[in-house]
Amino acid sequence: SAAFNLKPPAFPPKDFVFGCATSAYQIEGSAWNEDGKGKSIWDTYAQTPGNIGHNDTGDVACDHYHRYKSDVQLFKNLGVNHYSFTISWTRILPNGRGPVNKKGLQFYKNLLGELHAAGITPICTLYHWDLPQALFDEYQGWVDRKVVDDFKHYATVVFEELGGMCSFWSTMNEPGTFCVRKRFGEGEGSRLKSKSTWDPSAPLKCLHNALLAHASAVKIYRDGNYPGRIGVITDGQVYYPLDPTSAADADAAQRAMTYYFGWVNHPIWNGDYPPRMRKELGSLLPTFTAEEIALVKGSSDYYAFDGYTSGFATLDPTCNPKNSSSVSTPTNYNNGILIGSPTQGGWNFQVPDGFRAALNYIHEQFSPPVMYITENGMAVLNEAVLPIDRVLDDANRVDWYRTYLQQLRAAIEVDKLPIKGFVYWSCMDNFEWADGYSSKFGVTHVNFATQQRTPKKSATFLKDVITKGHNLDHWYP
Ligand code: GBH
């Protein structure tokens, strides 16, 4: 590949944002009901037996709420210059609205203080899927327009209290995921989907309200003249035509990408939903007023991309987006051959050139002035099946990051994309949603019985890249 011919200077470029990421419900743990915190839909969901394998919950997770000081030292030892975390709505507003919980706010002030003292720049996200249970009980959350006002209030409180301590904001993580993608949202589109009748408009309403909530929060931030930037984090993946000679498959792949990237990002960068979605979905797709189109358009200072995997797509005449949440029948196999090396878990494959293709697709479609990768990573088999020394010697994760960073480097140096940072998922093992503790994405091992943290080989590799620079063109010893 082109990346092999790249000459020094080594990666990363000067002033590159290099960080690691976590999210509130996945790490904070034991204080799920401490210091006045209210219940989120994820507390409820995971605490209900039968929903998560082994009935795992985030009740304890990494116990980060109590261990944030030593965790910041851990992150510092990882060599990262940025740390991306998310704020728990129900720590700040236990019932979703109403009185502010000072102790919850204080936790994030303390955390931000520790990060600044350690020389790590925070990237702060308001929402990573942990909707206040009270709002779900009242109106089923994101599918109802009422959520927009509640989110605005939450954003206002957080900006007023924490806006001076963080200057790199995101409103929410992967609205497309929490609105539709099975297993991961477990809140809105998907939870309603699991009810007896599937309402095909639920994910569309959810995302519509999420876009309005996001854009309204951005307006509040900008009107408040805070000295920082703000945007939204979205995921996506490229699809390749299953049969590269088939025009129908090429169209199916384009269509799948329009429904993945374009659904969320076309309104933000180009204005309104993609014309193809409007044409195919008709009145099922909610409509914006002219003012709303203008509010949403331009509501991100940067494009933040959570990029992991790629897929194939083929034309399926039976696939009707009006009664299905999937489009174009994605698949990971082509004539029995996988698209990339499998990782632990069914959806994530090692396709580094697909990652580069996704970055190029984003740039072509949306022309963002600045791009960041805000999540990337893989789960490997863990101590449930492997001896601990093999878990810590995660050579396949080193290979994952080496090959993805190689393609990132090519995207910057060869394709000339305005990519200014890479944040990997995750700083440490944590509660992996529907997979509980059976799937581990951390470059730091967490022993969940003792809470002991041990950096894996991939942590050392990434630290070397960040702090010393690396050509990425040879196997890491
Ligand atoms: C990230 O999403 C999340 O932001 C993060 O919280 C999580 O820990 C991390 O992934 C690792 O999983 O179940 O087959 O329908 C990445 C984008 C979109 C990938 C939804 C998985 C569901 C696949 N995700 N997708 S499936």
Side-chain angles (χ1 to χ4, degrees), residues 256-460:
M257 290 191 279
T258 298
Y259 276 72
Y260 206 150
F261 293 93
W263 181 33
V264 186
N265 282 290
H266 196 279
I268 293 174
W269 295 97
N270 307 338
D272 209 349
Y273 291 114
R276 181 167 190 171
M277 289 187 72
R278 174 64 61 204
K279 191 165 157 252
E280 292 180 352
L281 298 174
S283 61
L284 204 56
L285 187 65
T287 47
F288 292 115
T289 65
E291 293 75 43
E292 288 167 351
I293 289 175
L295 175 77
V296 176
K297 189 175 174 188
S299 61
S300 229
D301 294 333
Y302 54 79
Y303 194 111
F305 176 51
D306 289 356
Y308 288 81
T309 190
S310 303
F312 295 113
T314 183
L315 179 75
D316 176 356
T318 66
C319 175
N320 176 355
K322 289 191 187 179
N323 52 33
S324 157
S325 65
S326 73
V327 289
S328 306
T329 314
T331 167
N332 298 312
Y333 287 91
N334 196 348
N335 292 319
I337 310 287
L338 274 172
I339 189 157
S341 301
T343 64
Q344 205 226 354
W347 58 273
N348 197 15
F349 298 86
Q350 185 174 354
V351 195
D353 54 344
F355 176 64
R356 176 176 172 186
L359 294 166
N360 278 283
Y361 177 86
I362 290 165
H363 193 252
E364 263 161 46
Q365 294 288 316
F366 311 116
S367 318
V370 182
M371 300 164 71
Y372 296 97
I373 288 79
T374 35
E375 275 186 33
N376 172 265
M378 73 179 299
V380 299
L381 292 176
N382 56 58
E383 61 271 29
V385 285
L386 288 179
I388 185 69
D389 56 325
R390 295 238 356 242
V391 173
L392 297 177
D393 187 15
D394 57 344
N396 37 6
R397 188 180 277 108
V398 171
D399 186 59
W400 172 288
Y401 281 120
R402 192 180 62 83
T403 55
Y404 273 70
L405 290 175
Q406 205 174 59
Q407 294 296 325
L408 179 70
R409 186 177 178 196
I412 296 169
E413 295 180 18
V414 179
D415 307 335
K416 308 280 183 220
L417 303 185
I419 300 167
K420 303 296 177 199
F422 180 87
V423 177
Y424 62 85
W425 184 273
S426 173
C427 319
M428 58 184 163
D429 291 341
N430 55 54
F431 176 82
E432 178 51 28
W433 305 115
D435 291 336
Y437 299 102
S438 62
S439 184
K440 309 279 173 63
F441 278 79
V443 305
T444 304
H445 177 261
V446 176
N447 177 328
F448 288 96
T450 63
Q451 290 296 342
Q452 197 192 338
R453 280 96 160 115
T454 312
K456 303 175 191 176
K457 185 175 195 168
S458 55
T460 311

Side-chain angles (χ1 to χ4, degrees), residues 26 128-129 173-174 177 181-184 235 260 306 308 347 375 425 432-433 441:
Q26 293 178 272
H128 196 128
W129 313 351
N173 179 74
E174 302 180 2
T177 299
R181 277 165 224 292
K182 66 182 158 114
R183 296 207 291 120
F184 277 72
D235 59 317
Y260 206 150
D306 289 356
Y308 288 81
W347 58 273
E375 275 186 33
W425 184 273
E432 178 51 28
W433 305 115
F441 278 79

